[in-house]
Amino acid sequence: MASTRLPGTPRLLRALNDRAALELLLSRGPLTRAQLGEMTGLSKVTASQLVERLEQRGLVRRVGEQAGGRGPNAQLYAVTPGSAHVIGVDVGPDRVVAACADITGSIIGRVEQSTKDTDDPVGVVHNAVVQAATDAGTDMSSVRRVVLGTPGLVDPESGEISFAWDLPRWHRGLLDDLRRDLHTPVVFGNDVNMAAVAESSAGAAAGVKDFVLIWAGRGVGLASVIDGRLHQGHTGAAGEIGYMPVAGAEVPQHPGRKSGKGGVKGGFQSIAGADAVKAIGKKYGFRGVEAADVVRDAVAAGPAGEPVLDELANRLALGVAATCVILDPPLVVLAGEVSQAGGPALAARVENEVAAITLVNPKVVITGVEAEPVLHGALHTALDAVRDEVFGSTTA
């Protein structure tokens, strides 16, 4: 029998070696050629050829020397930061925050804009994205991807926003409009899902393959990560826990997304959202402009504020328990401004209450991402995709 020919195998091996070297340079660089050879298991000759190949493509550069032993100093190499850029955007009902990062993940540009005086979503995003690139000292020609973290449902198949209660002018067709306007790939991601991405990469869930993130802030939301992957559901509605029915809850009729039954009702939102948190605080003598202010004051008040934390934890535990008896995750992360205000005292109460009312006993912790988790999740999502594109085409 004639031997089977495997066309392209050397090229594939080079691509795999190049990708491994680039990942090492990102995580442990700068490195010498010899160090790359040792870490990848490649010979000195092959490692030198690899570095030369990446240097010619502009993906790595010399950044210094390392002294040692006899002979000339060894050159140190690192990933070229400007070989590609990404932009992450955190979209809210009142403001848009955009940040530009180079391919190493360093944030080098950031802008924040109000959205109160405009009804043009394309114009808002365009201005924020372009200004973020300009602030980073680059232009849109080097931006390989824009990821927007936004409230509402994102259709997993089309990538379009199918429903966003807080953003009534964000609609189907907006994704194509933005792509045409910016001339670069644009992706929408649900904001709570983006927070979970940030939590998984650099927060309390780092290294955890299965976890649930509960967002408690102005609204309530949920993201579930199963075997290291976000679960979005058939329509993108997985995690819209604010609409979970709760027996006895008085819920408003929402005219937003018609369902044939008069609208959408948010049972869990009505007992655990910002208005409900402020009502709990008021009952025990704590008032504030924002729900997080109420919880923060209750924590600071010591024993006098414990009834606020107890009641809030009991309510949040209903959503956590309903999720955990289905998914049974080892970890639940509480995120959002209300959760952060409650801190470990709130997390401990939720953990105890969930264990008391269900058969599961997940660890409940406060977020490890202290600021702008949606923005950081959008950046991380964009970087993952762009590194795959750039690093995966090293032999093209």
Side-chain angles (χ1 to χ4, degrees):
M1 180 183 292
S3 61
T4 302
R5 188 165 177 260
L6 298 175
T9 298
R11 182 176 182 180
L12 174 61
L13 289 174
R14 285 196 301 271
L16 293 173
N17 290 336
D18 289 355
R19 177 64 185 261
L22 287 164
E23 294 288 356
L24 282 169
L25 287 170
L26 277 176
S27 62
R28 302 179 64 176
L31 299 169
T32 66
R33 296 186 184 202
Q35 288 170 333
L36 276 172
E38 292 173 4
M39 293 178 184
T40 57
L42 300 174
S43 67
K44 291 183 179 180
V45 172
T46 303
S48 292
Q49 292 172 343
L50 177 153
V51 171
E52 289 174 4
R53 189 163 58 243
L54 296 179
E55 194 172 16
Q56 288 172 359
R57 290 184 59 79
L59 295 178
V60 303
R61 63 177 183 172
R62 303 179 190 188
V63 294
E65 295 181 342
Q66 185 179 75
R70 298 176 180 177
N73 293 341
Q75 295 287 332
L76 285 166
Y77 294 87
V79 172
T80 305
S83 55
H85 295 89
V86 300
I87 291 179
V89 185
D90 179 1
V91 180
D94 299 319
R95 66 167 193 156
V96 168
V97 180
C100 180
D102 61 38
I103 201 165
T104 71
S106 297
I107 297 176
I108 54 177
R110 185 184 184 281
V111 297
E112 182 175 334
Q113 293 186 347
S114 170
T115 59
K116 292 181 179 179
D117 300 324
T118 180
D119 58 1
D120 176 17
V122 174
V124 167
V125 174
H126 174 94
N127 290 338
V129 167
V130 171
Q131 288 182 30
T134 301
D135 190 55
T138 187
D139 56 38
M140 290 303 297
S141 65
S142 75
V143 175
R144 300 286 292 261
R145 182 167 293 240
V146 177
V147 174
L148 297 95
T150 173
L153 307 187
V154 178
D155 189 312
E157 290 194 10
S158 69
E160 287 277 11
I161 293 178
S162 59
F163 171 64
W165 172 255
D166 286 332
L167 303 169
R169 297 189 182 277
W170 291 62
H171 51 78
R172 285 191 179 273
L174 181 58
L175 184 61
D176 287 338
D177 291 343
L178 288 170
R179 287 171 174 171
R180 283 192 295 268
D181 178 77
L182 295 171
H183 304 291
T184 197
V186 178
V187 176
F188 286 133
N190 171 267
D191 53 359
V192 180
N193 283 346
M194 292 297 98
V197 170
E199 207 68 54
S200 180
S201 62
V208 180
K209 296 181 67 175
D210 297 276
F211 72 94
V212 165
L213 181 142
I214 299 286
W215 184 276
R218 186 174 42 84
V220 290
L222 176 146
S224 53
V225 174
I226 304 172
D227 197 24
R229 298 173 62 89
L230 277 169
H231 178 69
Q232 300 182 66
H234 177 63
T235 64
E240 292 295 328
I241 197 171
Y243 295 103
M244 182 183 77
V246 177
E250 296 183 6
V251 294
Q253 195 85 349
H254 287 212
R257 193 183 186 211
K258 298 300 181 183
S259 65
K261 297 181 180 179
V264 179
K265 297 180 179 180
F268 190 60
Q269 170 71 27
S270 71
I271 68 164
D275 289 342
V277 174
K278 287 192 282 188
I280 294 171
K282 183 178 179 181
K283 181 165 66 173
Y284 297 105
F286 294 92
R287 292 175 172 79
V289 176
E290 303 294 340
D293 297 331
V294 172
V295 177
R296 196 174 294 110
D297 289 347
V299 171
E306 289 183 359
V308 175
L309 296 179
D310 290 340
E311 185 165 343
L312 175 57
N314 290 345
R315 296 187 183 196
L316 289 175
L318 293 176
V320 174
T323 302
C324 290
V325 293
I326 296 172
L327 298 179
D328 193 17
L331 179 69
V332 174
V333 179
L334 299 183
E337 53 269 27
V338 168
S339 296
Q340 287 179 292
L346 178 63
R349 284 170 167 80
V350 172
E351 180 175 321
N352 292 336
E353 180 64 15
V354 171
I357 62 177
T358 70
L359 297 175
V360 296
N361 186 22
K363 181 67 177 175
V364 180
V365 300
I366 294 297
T367 175
V369 182
E370 295 184 359
E372 300 185 316
V374 176
L375 182 66
H376 287 288
L379 284 168
H380 188 84
T381 301
L383 282 166
D384 271 356
V386 169
R387 285 171 180 168
D388 280 343
E389 294 171 1
V390 174
F391 295 172
S393 63
T394 56
T395 58

